[in-house]
Amino acid sequence: MSKLFLVPTPVGNLGDMTFRGVEVLKSVDLILAEDTRTSRVLLQHYGIETPLQSYHIFNEHQTVAGLVERLKSGTTIAVVTDAGTPGISDPGFLLVREAVKDGIEVECLPGATAFVPALIDSGLPCDRFVFLGFLPHKKGRQTAIQALADEERTMIIYESPYRLVKLLTELAAVVGEDRQVSVSREISKLHAETARGILAEVLAHFAQGQVKGEIVVILAGKPS
């Protein structure tokens, strides 16, 4: 019987890959990868020789129908992204939605997701939180940021290292420079860093030089 697997991959350290994740990637007929060059490094590291096909935000709308037909014909497929769990601010959702519509079995393996360690490391309340992913880059950005002013839950935001200082500046202008925030980058890698404090302090820290790595911003909610 055909089946669609979503397989989390390490957000940094290759050692974070699960045993079962490796087993699934070896057993399926096809692996869909956000960037085949990045994923090939992981596959070679674990001796996985399963055929690889590109599947990313620029081609998923055009390829999803054909992939569903392959699943219906009995092909087993696994989806991976460059890092973390497919479908979380990465390709995967469309294929899952269409597979479910057609009665195809779907299974997401538990594993690496960048925002979970960043949230726990932040020291901010994690009993109630809202995941916002990447905010709009241009159109609708200010509206989205303004909407955060009255949010009482801890907020999780993904951001590019090139826009981090801009984001922290925008947040400070809306929620105040004294709001608590935590910024994690390069999670599980050699140069992993988490900067905690009020927005003014963390902004000053990252404004000193070039920021590198994947970024997760954890912003404290509005005091009740």
Side-chain angles (χ1 to χ4, degrees), residues 74-105:
T75 303
T76 54
I77 298 177
V79 181
V80 299
T81 63
D82 291 352
T85 300
I88 303 295
S89 293
D90 280 316
F93 164 71
L94 286 178
L95 184 54
V96 170
R97 183 182 66 184
E98 297 308 309
V100 169
K101 284 182 180 179
D102 277 276
I104 297 165
E105 187 176 357

Side-chain angles (χ1 to χ4, degrees), residues 13-29:
N13 193 315
L14 289 180
D16 292 335
M17 188 69 184
T18 67
F19 290 117
R20 184 159 177 250
V22 172
E23 290 174 358
V24 168
L25 294 180
K26 286 183 176 181
S27 68
V28 295
D29 299 313

Side-chain angles (χ1 to χ4, degrees), residues 72-206:
K72 290 166 68 175
S73 70
T75 303
T76 54
I77 298 177
V79 181
V80 299
T81 63
D82 291 352
T85 300
I88 303 295
S89 293
D90 280 316
F93 164 71
L94 286 178
L95 184 54
V96 170
R97 183 182 66 184
E98 297 308 309
V100 169
K101 284 182 180 179
D102 277 276
I104 297 165
E105 187 176 357
V106 177
E107 182 176 359
C108 180
L109 275 61
T113 303
F115 79 76
V116 174
L119 175 62
I120 303 302
D121 284 345
S122 72
L124 296 172
C126 53
D127 56 332
R128 295 174 64 247
F129 59 87
V130 56
F131 175 74
L132 301 168
F134 288 96
L135 299 180
H137 295 172
K138 295 180 181 178
K139 185 179 180 180
R141 184 177 178 85
Q142 288 305 314
T143 300
I145 292 176
Q146 288 289 339
L148 305 182
D150 294 323
E151 176 59 64
E152 296 183 354
R153 295 168 293 181
T154 300
M155 291 160 272
I156 303 169
I157 304 169
Y158 283 172
E159 188 54 280
S160 158
Y162 311 108
R163 289 189 296 270
L164 175 61
V165 170
K166 176 183 177 182
L167 173 64
L168 295 176
T169 301
E170 293 169 326
L171 290 175
V174 170
V175 305
E177 294 185 341
D178 59 347
R179 181 75 65 89
Q180 289 290 320
V181 69
S182 174
V183 176
S184 294
R185 67 178 190 88
E186 299 282 74
I187 294 172
S188 83
K189 295 182 181 179
L190 181 62
H191 300 293
E193 175 190 19
T194 295
R196 309 173 185 86
I198 61 173
L199 273 164
E201 295 169 337
V202 176
L203 173 58
H205 171 73
F206 285 108

